[in-house]
Amino acid sequence: MYPENIIASTSEGHWLAILLGVIIHFVVISVYMKGLSFFPNRNIIGIYSSVGKGTALFFLIPVLLYFLMVIIITVRAYSEIITIVFLSNTPLWAIMALLLFISTYIASCGLETIFRTGILLAILFLPLILFIFFVSFQNVDWRYAIPIDGNFQFIKKRDYLESFFAFSGGYLFLGFVQPFFSYNRKNVLIAAAVLIPFFFFSVYIPILTFGQATASTFFLPFVVAVDAININWLMFDRVTMFFIISLIAFVMLFLSLVSWKTIRIIEQFIPSIKPVYMLISLSVIIFLFCLSVPDWKDVEKLFWWNTILRFYVLIAIPISIYLIGIHSKRKNQHENI
Amino acid sequence: MKTYKLAAIALLHFCLLFILSGCWNNKDINHRVLPVAMGISKQDKEYKVILKIPEPHQGTTQIKIVSATGTTITQVVDKISMNMESSVDLLHVKVIIIERETAEQGVKDIISGFMRARDVSAKALVVICDEDLDEFFSKIKKTTGPEGTTLFDFFEKNAGWNPQIALTRIWMVYRSIHSYTHDVAIPLVKSGKSTMVEQIGSAVIKNGKMVGEINSDETLLVNAFNGEGIQGRIEVMDHASVLIISDRMEHKSKLIEQKPYLQSQINIKVVLLETRGDPSTKVIKKELEHLLTNRFNLMFTKFQTSKADILGLGQFYRTQISRSQLKFWRSKYYPHLKMDIKFHINIQNEGYLKTSSD
């Protein structure tokens, strides 16, 4: 979907649009991690609560809403994509139930399970995804990359603002895992840097294969580009299937991570209920909500509403953490003197 | 308490068995028919669809041809599915055969439909048939062998494909409908007398409409230009016949006063196969150069008059023409394109016999 947004947002010089997104992503991550580094072994819920209950409410409620929206949209959108791409006879609710069930189960087992599953999935599916990425260059005509001169017209476009979902999903978890795991800041930045080519390729492969004029007519440009791959020596006819299935595996992992984070926040405000029950009731509510979304137009509407929240999360959270960090550091210094 | 919990978990896992099979409204493979070829013709707003279905029958495969008419292709397929004892699954359709008249009217709707619904793979080949589809299919039925995939093998690159056959897939036709600068050639066939199909040449498709026709020698040049690889093709001249073993191209594009100029050089390596009389390599080279250049120029003027950019020449001007102007490439720039093509021939070897060099 990311390529679709970018291709829709500008007709030439896509690299500029992608680059801007990547740069913003980097700035946000580094500010966020810098802020978190002021509080060793504490997560963002603890940080906000230490400032005051009002602050915690003010910052965490939007994040909570954002997470809920993300889960709903992801479940709904991906189940729709699954029905479009291969399971055209299966009813939506069955796919959504499956997606939610597995991710809820993983989330209920805790953070460590999520990360271990992540490593397992990476071993199983990353080679496959990398392979598909490489073979998708098969039909590429490099001359379609031209003209390369870009302008900043795309910033105002709704599609471009929506494309930020690709960046804003992952990084927040860095603030949640603190007491359980420690990480090296440099390694996180390296990982983010490794992802950059994928952002570029996912947009440029459809463009180089079909040309801008054709690629803009597709709903899922990258999937169609993968569909056009023809490999004689591979016994499987449709590589797309492998691509989508490995993608779904990662989506399940992402869902379980987000629902785990959501539970952490709710736990802060309502500590009396057991997290497992909370998780189950949460996924039931989300499932019902997903059922009540009738068609793709409404998914897009939800997506757009969420964009506003997303920018709040993208801008306010890292900066506020950073400011609180500096503030508390000063206070500590004063006390020491 | 503990046994209850265990029982509940066991029950839950048992229920999972049903989900894990992943089957929903599933039809087993013996209740499906998988056509390999699909013929489409349009007769006064009604589509006629013919499916070629291989049916396993006591160890061998028999070919079954079914057809129906309707307002949309999906409706027709649905109708066939309804009237057959098993359901039709288009997943494995490899070749789409379109009748010539239908292609001349335009195939935009048909191709867009395939791209949208994804029942038919975007990789399926598109072919245009130069005779009545019913006749074509009934003749095919007689000549097809027991494998049932012959029609597909004819075009497959690792099977019966030859460099003078155009190779065009659904997504390429779709691209040509929308692209500003890229058109395609689709193979033009009819049923043969001794072989199953006979290749006549290629249809020139512009914006999803058939606008012209080129013969198979010209298709070879198009394939060479598009980098499909023309190795293995035998060229026959007055004094010799040669085998092409490799080809390489260089292009220089210029835009002077809004008029495009293109200088192209195609380097071809050949192996000498047969000679008539005693020609020197120099004569052979010159003859081949002359032959190819003439053929190319003739073909190119044909393209220019029909304004179809099959060679994708507009691609070379992407750096020089702005995107808003590129929209008019076919109408404004392409007809005025001056093309200077040079063939450079290298005779790599002369086989076991020696040939004089001058």
Side-chain angles (χ1 to χ4, degrees):
Chain A
M1 277 176 71
Y2 177 71
E4 193 244 333
N5 285 132
I6 292 288
I7 292 171
S9 65
T10 172
S11 66
E12 51 188 33
H14 303 86
W15 59 272
L16 196 66
I18 308 167
L19 195 68
L20 188 72
V22 170
I23 288 172
I24 290 177
H25 186 213
F26 257 83
V27 171
V28 165
I29 288 187
S30 16
V31 170
Y32 187 53
M33 282 201 297
K34 183 81 195 148
L36 283 172
S37 69
F38 291 120
F39 307 96
N41 285 329
R42 279 168 74 188
N43 59 18
I44 62 166
I45 302 172
I47 297 169
Y48 282 127
S49 311
S50 68
V51 180
K53 196 128 199 183
T55 327
L57 271 176
F58 182 70
F59 282 110
L60 290 178
I61 291 295
V63 176
L64 180 69
L65 274 178
Y66 170 70
F67 282 158
L68 286 175
M69 294 272 269
V70 163
I71 300 176
I72 291 168
I73 292 168
T74 316
V75 170
R76 190 68 217 317
Y78 274 94
S79 50
E80 196 77 54
I81 287 170
I82 293 173
T83 46
I84 291 174
V85 177
F86 53 103
L87 294 176
S88 45
N89 289 330
T90 316
L92 263 182
W93 68 263
I95 299 171
M96 292 193 294
L98 193 69
L99 273 180
L100 270 172
F101 181 81
I102 293 174
S103 54
T104 310
Y105 179 70
I106 299 175
S108 70
C109 291
L111 190 64
E112 209 181 324
T113 317
I114 297 177
F115 278 84
R116 270 203 226 125
T117 322
I119 291 171
L120 184 71
L121 287 186
I123 293 169
L124 285 175
F125 291 122
L126 266 192
L128 204 65
I129 290 187
L130 279 178
F131 170 73
I132 291 167
F133 250 101
F134 283 122
V135 294
S136 57
F137 281 95
Q138 191 193 42
N139 298 314
V140 158
D141 183 347
W142 291 101
R143 291 182 290 253
Y144 271 124
I146 300 161
I148 45 171
D149 47 330
N151 50 35
F152 283 97
Q153 291 290 321
F154 57 82
I155 289 181
K156 287 175 279 179
K157 289 265 179 69
R158 179 175 152 169
D159 287 298
Y160 184 68
L161 298 177
E162 283 181 359
S163 81
F164 272 90
F165 81 91
F167 299 110
S168 61
Y171 75 95
L172 269 179
F173 83 94
L174 293 172
F176 283 88
V177 297
Q178 226 8 301
F180 305 100
F181 285 99
S182 58
Y183 52 85
N184 190 336
R185 267 201 288 161
K186 217 171 116 196
N187 287 349
V188 173
L189 282 181
I190 290 173
V194 169
L195 283 179
I196 294 176
F198 288 94
F199 285 115
F200 277 92
F201 289 151
S202 68
V203 174
Y204 268 100
I205 284 171
I207 290 179
L208 294 177
T209 317
F210 299 108
Q212 160 70 25
T214 317
S216 61
T217 62
F218 293 132
F219 170 58
L220 301 165
F222 190 76
V223 174
V224 182
V226 172
D227 233 9
I229 301 171
N230 186 39
I231 312 171
N232 283 333
W233 46 266
L234 203 72
M235 61 254 216
F236 302 106
D237 195 35
R238 289 193 173 176
V239 207
T240 329
M241 221 64 114
F242 293 94
F243 178 70
I244 293 288
I245 287 173
S246 27
L247 211 63
I248 299 288
F250 284 108
V251 164
M252 281 179 184
L253 196 70
F254 174 72
L255 281 176
S256 58
L257 186 65
V258 176
S259 41
W260 180 81
K261 289 189 280 190
T262 319
I263 294 301
R264 299 286 302 178
I265 297 178
I266 300 178
E267 224 183 334
Q268 178 69 23
F269 297 118
I270 320 166
S272 53
I273 313 171
K274 235 177 141 184
V276 177
Y277 296 127
M278 208 142 59
L279 195 63
I280 293 169
S281 49
L282 179 80
S283 50
V284 169
I285 293 168
I286 287 173
F287 180 65
L288 291 176
F289 203 94
C290 285
L291 277 184
S292 66
V293 179
D295 58 17
W296 187 257
K297 285 277 168 311
D298 291 289
V299 178
E300 277 185 342
K301 221 186 274 168
L302 272 178
F303 210 81
W304 176 235
W305 291 344
N306 200 25
T307 306
I308 302 156
L309 270 177
R310 180 174 306 127
F311 273 91
Y312 179 81
V313 170
L314 206 60
I315 296 164
I317 299 295
I319 291 177
S320 65
I321 290 281
Y322 185 70
L323 291 180
I324 295 170
I326 289 179
H327 189 70
S328 72
K329 198 177 168 192
R330 271 203 210 121
K331 219 158 72 184
N332 281 345
Q333 276 168 352
H334 277 293
E335 279 162 8
N336 288 344
I337 296 162
Chain B
M1 186 63 202
K2 210 172 180 188
T3 28
Y4 278 131
K5 213 171 175 182
L6 227 85
I9 289 174
L11 196 72
L12 191 73
H13 282 175
F14 187 71
C15 291
L16 276 183
L17 269 182
F18 294 100
I19 307 175
L20 276 176
S21 71
C23 302
W24 201 282
N25 288 346
N26 192 40
K27 280 185 179 139
D28 283 330
I29 193 137
N30 50 344
H31 296 299
R32 294 176 184 218
V33 286
L34 304 162
V36 283
M38 186 181 193
I40 299 168
S41 67
K42 202 175 171 189
Q43 290 150 346
D44 344 298
K45 289 185 183 166
E46 286 239 309
Y47 287 110
K48 178 169 189 181
V49 174
I50 305 177
L51 295 176
K52 180 191 168 201
I53 304 166
E55 272 197 337
H57 191 72
Q58 288 171 353
T60 56
T61 317
Q62 284 187 340
I63 304 296
K64 200 170 172 185
I65 307 282
V66 275
S67 68
T69 52
T71 37
T72 60
I73 290 167
T74 37
Q75 190 209 356
V76 184
V77 173
D78 203 42
K79 232 187 222 172
I80 294 174
S81 191
M82 183 178 75
N83 293 333
M84 279 184 81
E85 61 279 13
S86 34
S87 83
V88 174
D89 196 337
L90 295 180
L91 202 69
H92 288 275
V93 172
K94 301 282 185 201
V95 185
I96 307 279
I97 301 155
I98 298 170
E99 208 176 54
R100 189 185 173 136
E101 275 166 42
T102 316
E104 275 164 358
Q105 286 163 21
V107 291
K108 190 175 174 225
D109 293 339
I110 299 173
I111 298 295
S112 305
F114 287 145
M115 287 303 280
R116 185 191 299 275
R118 299 193 70 264
D119 280 342
V120 179
S121 161
K123 289 183 293 190
L125 296 161
V126 185
V127 178
I128 290 176
C129 175
D130 200 18
E131 63 188 324
D132 188 56
L133 267 187
D134 285 316
E135 220 170 284
F136 180 72
F137 271 94
S138 63
K139 273 186 188 162
I140 277 182
K141 195 183 172 185
K142 279 181 210 151
T143 45
T144 311
E147 298 89 16
T149 55
T150 6
L151 195 55
F152 168 57
D153 285 342
F154 182 76
F155 297 103
E156 198 51 18
K157 230 178 174 174
N158 55 0
W161 185 75
N162 282 61
Q164 58 267 45
I165 302 175
L167 192 70
T168 303
R169 299 173 190 283
I170 288 183
W171 65 267
M172 292 175 181
V173 182
Y174 185 73
R175 178 175 70 182
S176 115
I177 294 169
H178 292 276
S179 175
Y180 300 152
T181 51
H182 219 158
D183 287 311
V184 286
I186 296 182
L188 196 63
V189 297
K190 65 176 187 190
S191 56
K193 288 191 184 80
S194 54
T195 50
M196 187 183 67
V197 269
E198 202 177 291
Q199 145 106 350
I200 307 169
S202 299
V204 178
I205 302 282
K206 181 185 134 197
N207 285 101
K209 257 187 198 158
M210 178 172 166
V211 290
E213 192 184 320
I214 52 175
N215 61 31
S216 38
D217 288 339
E218 291 164 335
T219 312
L220 175 82
L221 290 175
V222 173
N223 277 342
F225 220 89
N226 291 340
E228 284 284 1
I230 54 170
Q231 298 94 316
R233 158 76 178 177
I234 297 170
E235 276 303 327
V236 186
M237 297 156 290
D238 288 342
H239 288 109
S241 79
V242 294
L243 179 75
I244 298 175
I245 51 173
S246 82
D247 61 301
R248 207 161 43 80
M249 282 174 301
E250 282 159 32
H251 305 285
K252 263 189 213 136
S253 58
K254 264 186 287 182
L255 195 69
I256 302 166
E257 291 168 359
Q258 298 296 307
K259 269 194 180 167
Y261 292 87
L262 188 70
Q263 273 186 330
S264 299
Q265 179 162 359
I266 302 187
N267 298 315
I268 294 178
K269 272 189 188 169
V270 297
V271 173
L272 211 53
L273 290 181
E274 213 181 313
T275 52
R276 272 168 86 175
D278 237 344
S280 64
T281 47
K282 210 172 172 185
V283 172
I284 295 172
K285 267 189 198 174
K286 214 169 215 168
E287 222 173 50
L288 188 59
E289 269 165 37
H290 193 68
L291 178 83
L292 291 176
T293 316
N294 267 354
R295 195 191 285 165
F296 188 91
N297 286 338
L298 216 69
M299 174 182 76
F300 189 65
T301 41
K302 218 191 275 180
F303 288 159
Q304 273 187 323
T305 44
S306 63
K307 291 182 187 168
D309 190 2
I310 285 192
L311 303 172
L313 297 179
Q315 298 286 67
F316 297 111
Y317 291 91
R318 285 193 162 248
T319 38
Q320 288 146 15
I321 303 174
S322 73
R323 202 176 155 70
S324 49
Q325 284 297 308
L326 211 57
K327 247 181 219 173
F328 308 108
W329 163 256
R330 284 191 187 112
S331 55
K332 225 170 118 186
Y333 297 95
Y334 186 58
H336 304 291
L337 179 70
K338 285 257 168 358
M339 187 145 181
D340 179 22
I341 190 142
K342 280 200 183 82
F343 285 89
H344 184 78
I345 313 286
N346 264 327
I347 298 182
Q348 191 170 306
N349 62 52
E350 291 123 30
Y352 284 139
L353 301 182
K354 278 185 189 171
T355 316
S356 64
S357 58
D358 44 28

